[in-house]
Amino acid sequence: MTAVATDGDFMAEALRLAREGGAMGEVPVGAVVVKDGEIIGRGFNAPISRRDPTAHAEIVALRDAARLMGNYRLPGCELYVTLEPCVMCSGAIIHARIARVVFGARDPKTGACGSVVNLFDEPRLNFHAAVTAGVLADECGALLKNFFAAKRGRTETA
């Protein structure tokens, strides 16, 4: 009998992807799309390397999952991401009909799951995903904090 994966397990994979992107000089954010307990899409931030302002981890993972599923709609899927999605990513999540969004660290500057705005709670929109915040938040936040501290030439301990 195989163990059922938890939110923490899927977020751990998103963190692994975030580290992979960070090693390439990208802001370390990772995402996975899950359907029926299986990862069907993976992504990490890549706007610098791809020269593409839309190449956020969530968008890359959604595109990967959509290719696999053969459809731009991903009903019944969950998206795990290490950082609270921005407005652009939240819009894509809504259009893809992702059932649930799980994120790690809050983004007080651009977060669209309640930190700045909450698109998933906007009654005028025609679709609303469930949102779970704070899964492995300390690890997700520390990864970002240490990345930016290194960029500034400082060492942080988190």
Side-chain angles (χ1 to χ4, degrees):
M1 187 162 121
T2 58
V4 175
T6 66
D7 285 351
D9 295 328
F10 293 124
M11 190 62 73
E13 175 62 9
L15 272 164
R16 186 193 69 74
L17 290 163
R19 288 184 192 97
E20 187 177 332
M24 297 171 53
E26 300 283 355
V27 174
V29 178
V32 295
V33 177
V34 174
K35 175 130 178 102
D36 300 327
E38 298 291 327
I39 295 174
I40 63 167
R42 289 177 167 82
F44 55 78
N45 268 7
I48 298 166
S49 59
R50 294 186 183 189
R51 294 175 180 86
D52 177 358
T54 70
H56 288 194
E58 301 95 321
I59 303 293
V60 175
L62 288 170
R63 287 175 178 160
D64 192 36
R67 272 190 297 274
L68 180 71
M69 299 301 290
N71 194 344
Y72 75 104
R73 297 276 200 221
L74 300 168
C77 292
E78 299 171 308
L79 184 132
Y80 292 79
V81 60
T82 58
L83 182 64
E84 181 179 2
C86 69
V87 171
M88 175 186 69
C89 292
S90 295
I93 290 164
I94 290 167
H95 284 290
R97 300 300 192 257
I98 294 291
R100 181 171 173 241
V101 176
V102 181
F103 70 88
R106 288 214 170 264
D107 186 345
K109 294 182 180 179
T110 65
C113 297
S115 290
V116 176
V117 297
N118 190 345
L119 289 185
F120 299 103
D121 198 31
E122 172 52 57
R124 294 172 290 182
L125 294 176
N126 67 339
F127 182 83
H128 301 95
V131 176
T132 301
V135 175
L136 301 183
D138 291 341
E139 294 91 329
C140 294
L143 184 61
L144 288 159
K145 182 178 179 182
N146 292 336
F147 174 82
F148 287 113
K151 285 273 192 205
R152 291 184 216 95
R154 295 194 308 256
T155 305
E156 298 278 335
T157 55

